[in-house]
């Protein structure tokens, strides 16, 4: 891997040098051209102001005679300033000075010199036998400010090879230093990357990433992970199915843009894990475990592992219904035997009328409670649950009374059957437990269910042992119980969890020795 990194680094260095060199050379050429242009213009202006040049051009001498004086003066200036040429032209475009003596006295036919004969100062570039040249054109004016000629000064522009040759030492030093530090940097980078990647090669990392992704997608639980910037790093297929997310390529997106109510970012704020928490996300009930991700003692993200509670709730509903049905059958069977024994005894004693009255009384009571539940409680499962609790109370010697004004026409969308069973079932069982801890003849439990367009309320009261204020402050803690039996201490915790999830309220009123009242309200 280090060899690949070093090769790549050298390639990058060479490519960078090439790109940088192009820009540097272009800048050098531009700077050199500007410098030579300024120098040519300065020399041209100087020559144009020479008195002897102005004087000779103002005379009526023949051009050849003027050239003898002017060329001698100009040639010295050209040599001193290292110009390619300095040409003086009279108004007839006749050359009066030139490095090539054969051209002196000849007429110039350069197309770009015409503007100079109209008193213009300018620079131009031309391509000649020795390469490109930069030329300065300056008109020559006499003392009367009349144009008597033109001076042209030319400098050859350096080629790229000449520029490279002129800075060959600098290029050599820069190249050696860059290669040296580049090789050292590549070695350090490769070693550091190798260490950070646990000495794995790139193809091994790619393989691990693919295996990790496929492993997460194969899991039955939904998995979502984010980094400290709330950017999604893991979002497996099961999570999409559970939460009903249809988007693809979720990696790299912000979690708030995908699921605003995920509550995963709060793990980064609290930096504490939360286990077995029921959440309502994107219209789905899930059971979630959310844990911060730590690397070397530093939190770098958070991960949520969750399951869809829909199937679990259906199973719980079925199991709860079966359990209550079995309980109801057992109690009903026990009561039926007692009633049969009573009727049989009356018949054996010949008290036929009493037996008939007893049968009618039992039937009337059964019909009364059954008709009430059918009329006021529209959910048959909950009606069966309440009937089971009434019969169970009789078995325990507890009078279970249902408020005759109670009614339940439907379950709200946010409150499913299983949640309702958890609430009312646990409240009634807690009331039964409290009454069994006290010795009194008149043991009662009052159940009231009231519903209107805005609220659904559940009230369970008992005249049992009651609780102190200190106990009331702790009853909703997970695992807290006043009972000695095992598997207690979770009922009220589950009730509070459901109430919080649905933004409801729960009020507890109790006094030692007088009983307890629990009032749960949901806002529809």
């Amino acid at each position: 891997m280090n060899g690949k990194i070093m090769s790549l680094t050298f390639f990058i260095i060479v490519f960078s040098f090439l790109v940088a060199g192009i820009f540097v050379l272009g800048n050098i050429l531009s700077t050199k051209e500007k410098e030579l242009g300024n120098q040519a213009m300065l020399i041209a202006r100087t020559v144009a102001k020479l008195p002897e040049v102005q004087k000779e051009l103002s005379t009526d001498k023949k051009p050849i005679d003027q050239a003898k004086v002017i060329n001698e003066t100009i040639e010295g200036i050209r040599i001193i300033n290292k110009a390619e040429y300095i040409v003086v032209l009279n108004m007839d475009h006749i050359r009066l000075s030139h490095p090539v003596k054969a051209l002196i006295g000849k007429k110039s036919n350069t197309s770009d010199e015409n503007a100079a004969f109209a008193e213009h100062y300018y620079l131009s570039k031309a391509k000649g036998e020795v390469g490109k040249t930069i030329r300065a054109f300056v008109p020559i004016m006499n003392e009367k400010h009349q144009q008597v000629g033109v001076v042209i000064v030319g400098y050859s522009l350096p080629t790229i090879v000449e520029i490279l040759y002129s800075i060959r030492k600098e290029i050599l030093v820069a190249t050696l230093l860059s290669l040296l530090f580049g090789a050292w940097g590549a070695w350090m980078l490769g070693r550091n990357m190798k260490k950070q990647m646990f000495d794995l090669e790139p193809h091994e990392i790619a393989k691990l990433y693919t295996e990790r992704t496929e492993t997460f997608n194969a899991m039955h639980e939904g998995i979502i992970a984010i980094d400290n910037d709330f950017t999604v790093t893991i979002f497996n297929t099961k999570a999409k199915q559970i939460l009903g997310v249809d988007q693809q390529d979720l990696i790299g997106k912000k979690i708030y843009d995908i699921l605003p109510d995920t509550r995963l970012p709060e793990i980064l704020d609290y930096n504490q894990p939360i286990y077995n928490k029921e959440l309502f996300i994107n219209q789905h009930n899930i059971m979630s475990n959310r844990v911060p991700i730590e690397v070397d003692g530093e939190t770098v993200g958070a991960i949520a592992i969750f399951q869809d509670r829909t199937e679990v709730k259906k199973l719980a509903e079925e199991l709860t219904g079966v359990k209550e049905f079995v309980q109801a059958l057992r109690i009903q069977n026990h009561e039926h035997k007692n009633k049969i024994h009573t009727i049989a005894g009356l018949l054996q004693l010949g008290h036929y009328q009493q037996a008939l009255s007893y049968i009618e009384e039992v039937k009337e009571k059964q019909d009364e409670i059954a008709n009430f539940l059918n009329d006021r409680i529209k959910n048959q499962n909950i009606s069966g649950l309440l009937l089971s609790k009434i019969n169970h109370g009789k078995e325990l010697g507890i009078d279970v009374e249902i408020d005759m004004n109670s009614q339940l026409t439907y379950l709200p969308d946010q409150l499913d059957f299983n949640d309702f069973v958890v609430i009312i079932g646990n409240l009634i069982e807690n009331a039964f437990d409290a009454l069994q801890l006290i010795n009194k003849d008149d043991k009662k439990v009052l159940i009231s269910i009231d519903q209107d367009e805005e609220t659904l309320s559940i009230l369970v009261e008992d005249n049992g042992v009651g609780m102190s204020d200190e106990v009331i402050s702790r009853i909703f803690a997970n695992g807290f119980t006043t009972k000695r039996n095992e598997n207690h201490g979770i009922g009220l915790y589950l009730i509070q969890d459901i109430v919080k999830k649905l933004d409801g309220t729960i009020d507890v009123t109790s006094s030692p020795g007088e009983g307890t009242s629990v009032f749960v309200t949901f806002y529809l």
Side-chain angles (χ1 to χ4, degrees), residues 97-113:
S97 68
H98 199 285
V100 181
K101 293 184 177 181
L103 297 177
I104 296 175
K106 304 292 184 180
K107 187 173 183 178
S108 175
N109 295 316
T110 304
S111 60
D112 57 351
E113 66 187 27

Side-chain angles (χ1 to χ4, degrees), residues 64-107:
I64 193 65
D65 296 328
Q66 292 174 335
K68 291 180 180 179
V69 176
I70 292 175
N71 189 61
E72 184 177 351
T73 302
I74 296 304
E75 191 62 17
I77 295 174
R78 184 189 70 81
I79 294 172
I80 292 173
N81 291 279
K82 299 179 180 179
E84 189 68 26
Y85 55 79
I86 300 176
V87 179
V88 175
L89 304 176
N90 62 15
M91 296 303 292
D92 294 325
H93 295 230
I94 302 298
R95 299 185 183 94
L96 302 181
S97 68
H98 199 285
V100 181
K101 293 184 177 181
L103 297 177
I104 296 175
K106 304 292 184 180
K107 187 173 183 178

Side-chain angles (χ1 to χ4, degrees), residues 231-382:
T231 301
V232 174
T233 57
I234 300 173
F235 205 115
N236 72 342
T237 302
K238 191 64 178 180
K240 295 179 183 179
Q241 295 174 356
I242 293 175
L243 299 177
V245 177
D246 297 329
Q247 302 177 48
Q248 301 296 324
D249 300 326
L250 299 177
I251 308 302
K253 294 184 178 180
K254 297 295 183 182
I255 188 65
Y256 289 120
D257 297 333
I258 303 170
L259 295 169
D261 54 353
T262 180
R263 298 182 67 179
L264 184 56
E266 70 183 28
I267 301 300
L268 297 177
D269 298 331
Y270 302 142
N271 199 28
Q272 293 291 333
I274 299 178
Y275 297 105
N276 299 324
K277 185 71 173 180
E278 185 177 353
L279 299 176
F280 190 71
I281 299 177
N282 201 23
Q283 307 301 315
H284 290 78
N285 282 300
I286 64 171
M287 182 63 71
S288 170
N289 294 312
R290 291 166 290 157
V291 183
I293 302 173
E294 295 186 357
V295 177
D296 297 330
E298 180 181 356
T299 301
V300 298
I303 186 169
I305 303 174
F306 53 89
Q307 292 179 327
D308 190 355
R309 286 197 69 228
T310 304
E311 296 299 326
V312 176
K313 283 191 173 185
K314 288 181 180 178
L315 179 60
E317 180 177 334
E318 180 181 345
L319 293 176
T320 302
V322 171
K323 178 181 177 181
E324 295 300 334
F325 180 69
V326 172
Q327 174 79 345
L329 286 177
R330 185 184 65 79
I331 295 172
Q332 187 175 7
N333 181 56
H334 181 72
E335 287 190 351
H336 181 69
K337 286 182 178 180
N338 291 335
K339 292 171 183 176
I340 291 296
H341 291 159
T342 301
I343 296 171
L346 290 173
L347 292 175
Q348 289 177 358
L349 295 173
H351 303 308
Y352 303 114
Q353 186 61 41
Q354 289 89 336
L356 181 60
S357 298
Y358 179 74
I359 293 172
E360 291 177 350
E361 181 183 354
V362 170
K363 180 179 182 301
E364 183 177 345
K365 288 183 179 179
Q366 289 293 97
D367 289 344
E368 181 181 358
I369 186 65
N371 291 334
F372 169 77
L373 291 175
N374 287 330
D375 292 341
R376 308 290 292 185
I377 308 297
K378 298 303 181 181
N379 188 297
Q380 295 180 355
N381 293 323
I382 296 175

Side-chain angles (χ1 to χ4, degrees), residues 490-505:
I490 194 172
L492 288 173
Y493 170 77
L494 292 175
I495 293 174
Q496 185 190 48
D497 195 43
I498 295 171
V499 171
K500 283 185 176 180
K501 179 184 68 174
L502 302 178
D503 294 326
T505 60

